[in-house]
């Protein structure tokens, strides 16, 4: 049995500053997003609070 690795470390070439907070995040490649998970969650929470349909797909 080998130990599982569900979240492999991203390639440095896929990492860039979050457009919201400038913290390093995976911006490129599969699963990449211009917003870090914190900012994406904050944006989704804000959208929910506005009562409008739609959400950011990571
Ligand atoms: Zn951010």
């Amino acid at each position: 049995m080998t130990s599982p690795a569900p979240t492999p470390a991203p390639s440095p070439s896929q990492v860039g500053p979050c457009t919201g907070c400038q913290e390093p995040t995976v911006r490129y490649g599969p699963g990449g997003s211009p917003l870090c998970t914190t900012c994406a969650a904050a944006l989704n929470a804000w959208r929910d609070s506005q009562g409008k349909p739609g959400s950011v797909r990571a």
Side-chain angles (χ1 to χ4, degrees):
M1 299 292 278
T2 57
S3 55
T7 53
S11 168
S13 65
Q14 296 178 331
V15 176
C18 165
T19 57
C21 67
Q22 310 304 309
E23 288 291 316
T25 189
V26 180
R27 292 193 57 167
Y28 316 105
S33 170
L35 288 174
C36 69
T37 53
T38 301
C39 288
L43 180 57
N44 277 325
W46 177 82
R47 285 189 174 228
D48 282 349
S49 72
Q50 301 303 300
K52 295 176 181 175
S55 64
V56 172
R57 284 182 289 274

